[in-house]
Amino acid sequence: MTQLEYDNIFEAITDDPIEAADLTLRSDLVNTLVAIFKERGWKNADIGTALDIPQSRVSELVRGKIAVLSVQKLFGYLAVLGYRFKPSLDGNHHVVCRVEEKQREAA
């Protein structure tokens, strides 16, 4: 019997590398957002208020329901929270992606 190995679980559920990449990005963004929520000690009500989204959407977000969350919307949530997704190229020609907190302007 042949055992299949995948570096990415989404490669196992689709043969389309673009779809696998999209699912992976959405999953990574959701995980990042959930980490931010935990770091801030937010409950679901706090998340809904901060992002101006209904409780049903908060539930989908914190439960990782990536099928109903677009990359565009997830990037928007990061922006509302004061973060920016910043891809760059390192000295070894590897793409490095960071989620950085935007600098607040002095009043």
Side-chain angles (χ1 to χ4, degrees):
M1 184 164 111
T2 303
Q3 180 176 342
L4 300 175
E5 292 185 27
Y6 297 95
D7 293 328
N8 178 336
I9 187 65
F10 297 113
E11 292 172 354
I13 61 174
T14 180
D15 291 329
D16 181 353
I18 294 172
E19 183 180 6
D22 177 64
L23 293 168
T24 301
L25 179 57
R26 285 190 272 163
S27 177
D28 290 343
L29 290 170
V30 166
N31 288 335
T32 300
L33 285 161
V34 169
I36 292 168
F37 304 150
K38 286 181 180 179
E39 183 178 282
R40 293 182 179 187
W42 284 359
K43 305 285 186 223
N44 285 7
D46 302 317
I47 297 166
T49 299
L51 298 178
D52 193 27
I53 58 176
Q55 197 58 41
S56 59
R57 179 61 67 185
V58 172
S59 178
E60 291 167 345
L61 179 58
V62 298
R63 291 175 62 214
K65 296 240 176 182
I66 63 171
V68 299
L69 300 163
S70 70
V71 169
Q72 180 179 357
K73 187 59 77 174
L74 293 168
F75 278 136
Y77 294 158
L78 283 172
V80 167
L81 297 176
Y83 289 86
R84 171 179 180 224
F85 180 78
K86 186 175 181 182
S88 62
L89 196 62
D90 72 8
N92 294 320
H93 302 287
H94 295 115
V95 175
V96 177
C97 297
R98 292 183 173 85
V99 175
E100 300 178 344
E101 193 164 10
K102 293 179 190 175
Q103 297 298 320
R104 301 199 195 304
E105 293 181 21

